[in-house]
């Protein structure tokens, strides 16, 4: 096993369909316009160090923001930096990941997930991406050990997903893993379309379930229905747009696919216990206080957009 390193500057692109499939590929992208295409049947983990990276699988695009990582094993995926961005990706055919020793098979231990990247996961990623660590004559055992380090860090970081898998139906670990993958596809599609209302029938088709069965299984695993999850994300998105942008209430209502501005205002008041005007006044007052306290603009913005407590 070897590690092939690729540096993508500016608008350079790389298609791994034509690359050596017996090796691990470590890609570092820097600048605007870089593109990476990863085939179906590969497992990849991508980390954005600075900027925003666009990912797409099939006809579903989504964005990965700074300091977040995406583990992907659910079909081919494309990465594009449409704005200045610094990112890295480690990827290899699933078979190579399965052959790594000293752990459970990847088929039943890994699931696609996007989260903030902790230090213990970032370290092996950055280590692998640094060309100086692995020359062409690097010892194969060292490469395997480092990939095991990365794989084990990923598995440890997916503790929440392993608990969800335990709640899935199925007599074997493989069947429970397959069930969770179906539900995560539904969750991923909802998250990629926060600003739109997705029909339950379409979500059920993605999971190959009936709508009724999807609601029951999804609630058993995640503790809420797909519609409740979508509503919660839309409320959080509404809070962010009201508190941290200058968009008018009418524009926000339209962006979030509400029937009217009044319908959005009623939903906002019901969810947060305050009107949009009160929320914005509170945000401005908070920024003013932070300025007097000497907080940086980044700290103020983080507090300003922090997730609110929904009124139950």
């Amino acid at each position: 096993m070897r590690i092939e390193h690729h540096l993508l500057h500016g608008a350079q692109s790389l298609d791994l369909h034509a690359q050596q499939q017996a090796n691990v590929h470590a890609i570092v992208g820097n600048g605007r316009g870089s593109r990476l295409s990863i085939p179906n049947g590969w497992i990849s983990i991508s980390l954005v160090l600075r900027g925003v990276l666009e990912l797409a699988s099939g006809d579903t695009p989504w964005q990965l923001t700074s300091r977040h990582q995406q583990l992907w094993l659910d079909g081919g995926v494309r990465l594009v930096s449409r704005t200045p961005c610094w990112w890295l990706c480690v990827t290899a055919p699933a078979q190579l990941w399965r052959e790594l020793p000293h752990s459970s098979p990847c088929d039943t231990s890994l699931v696609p997930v996007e989260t903030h990247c902790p230090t213990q996961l970032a370290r092996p990623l950055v280590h692998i991406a640094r060309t100086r660590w692995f020359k062409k004559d690097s010892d194969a055992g060292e490469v395997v050990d480092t990939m095991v380090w990365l794989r084990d860090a990923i598995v440890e970081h997916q503790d929440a997903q392993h608990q969800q898998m335990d709640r899935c139906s199925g007599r074997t670990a493989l069947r429970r893993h397959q069930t969770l993958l179906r539900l995560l596809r539904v969750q991923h599609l909802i998250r990629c379309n926060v600003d739109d209302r997705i029909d339950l029938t379409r979500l059920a088709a993605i999971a190959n379930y009936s709508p009724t069965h999807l609601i029951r299984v999804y609630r058993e695993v995640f503790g809420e229905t797909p519609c409740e999850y979508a509503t919660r994300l839309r409320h959080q998105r509404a809070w962010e747009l009201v508190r941290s942008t200058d968009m008018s209430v009418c524009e926000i209502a339209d962006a979030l696919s509400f029937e009217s501005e009044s319908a959005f205002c009623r939903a906002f008041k019901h969810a947060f216990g305050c009107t949009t005007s009160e929320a914005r006044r509170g945000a401005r007052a908070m920024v003013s206080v932070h300025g007097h306290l000497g907080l940086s603009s980044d700290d103020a913005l983080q507090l300003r957009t922090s997730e609110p407590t929904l009124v139950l």
Side-chain angles (χ1 to χ4, degrees):
M1 181 186 294
R2 290 181 53 229
I3 296 181
E4 295 281 349
H5 288 88
H6 311 271
L7 297 176
L8 302 181
H9 294 288
Q12 291 181 322
S13 62
L14 174 65
D15 187 347
L16 292 180
H17 290 79
Q19 294 291 322
Q20 174 59 256
Q21 297 197 11
N23 295 327
V24 177
H25 293 266
I27 304 96
V28 176
N30 196 0
R32 176 188 299 178
S34 57
R35 295 174 178 267
L36 172 64
S37 180
I38 300 175
N40 184 29
W42 288 44
I43 297 176
S44 64
I45 179 167
S46 305
L47 169 63
V48 177
L49 301 172
R50 185 175 61 246
V52 178
L53 184 66
E54 181 177 298
L55 288 79
S57 182
D59 58 355
T60 302
W62 69 99
Q63 291 184 334
L64 194 64
T65 56
S66 178
R67 300 180 184 179
H68 282 72
Q69 63 85 22
Q70 173 75 70
L71 179 71
W72 191 255
L73 46 85
D74 199 17
V77 63
R78 303 178 301 279
L79 287 70
V80 182
S81 58
R82 301 192 183 279
T83 58
C85 183
W86 183 23
W87 55 275
L88 57 87
C89 175
V90 174
T91 182
Q95 184 60 36
L96 291 186
W97 292 83
R98 297 187 189 106
E99 292 171 355
L100 294 175
H102 315 310
S103 188
S104 57
C106 289
D107 293 44
T108 58
S109 63
L110 298 181
V111 293
V113 65
E114 172 195 339
T115 63
H116 185 274
C117 189
T119 302
Q120 61 268 29
L121 181 52
R123 282 175 178 166
L125 271 173
V126 173
H127 183 77
I128 292 172
R130 285 178 173 169
T131 307
R132 72 170 184 262
W133 292 110
F134 294 102
K135 301 182 185 296
K136 291 186 177 180
D137 58 350
S138 295
D139 179 72
E142 183 183 1
V143 174
V144 170
D145 289 344
T146 307
M147 287 299 295
V148 169
W149 177 23
L150 173 61
R151 191 272 319 279
D152 290 347
I154 294 173
V155 172
E156 182 179 355
H157 184 54
Q158 294 200 338
D159 182 65
Q161 286 71 40
H162 298 155
Q163 295 178 23
Q164 292 168 351
M165 196 181 307
D166 291 339
R167 294 194 291 270
C168 291
S169 59
R171 295 183 178 179
T172 65
L174 181 58
R175 291 296 297 273
R176 292 191 294 272
H177 183 258
Q178 292 171 342
T179 298
L180 183 59
L181 285 179
R182 289 183 177 188
L183 297 178
L184 288 176
R185 290 189 194 111
V186 171
Q187 192 175 80
H188 179 70
L189 185 61
I190 294 173
R191 195 164 54 246
C192 291
N193 294 272
V194 174
D195 296 346
D196 299 313
R197 298 178 184 272
I198 303 178
D199 184 75
L200 181 62
T201 303
R202 180 186 173 192
L203 294 176
I206 292 294
N208 199 26
Y209 290 143
S210 69
T212 303
H213 187 62
L214 172 63
I215 291 174
R216 180 177 63 81
V217 175
Y218 194 99
R219 183 191 290 117
E220 289 175 352
V221 174
F222 299 117
E224 60 185 347
T225 68
C227 292
E228 289 170 344
Y229 177 65
T231 299
R232 181 162 58 85
L233 291 184
R234 291 178 76 226
H235 285 162
Q236 292 173 0
R237 177 67 172 154
W239 179 263
E240 293 170 1
L241 291 177
V242 168
R243 299 268 292 186
S244 61
T245 75
D246 294 326
M247 294 174 62
S248 69
V249 174
C250 182
E251 290 173 331
I252 296 175
D254 185 61
L256 295 178
S257 301
F258 278 86
E259 295 80 2
S260 64
E261 180 180 344
S262 60
F264 169 74
C265 290
R266 287 194 301 272
F268 190 93
K269 179 68 178 291
H270 178 75
F272 303 114
C274 65
T275 66
T276 56
S277 298
E278 291 169 342
R280 279 191 162 161
R281 283 198 297 271
R284 295 190 187 101
M286 186 179 297
V287 170
S288 177
V289 170
H290 292 159
H292 288 299
L293 292 176
L295 295 181
S296 68
S297 58
D298 289 342
D299 292 335
L301 180 60
Q302 182 178 1
L303 289 171
R304 182 183 175 190
T305 59
S306 59
E307 183 176 321
T309 301
L310 300 182
V311 176
L312 300 179

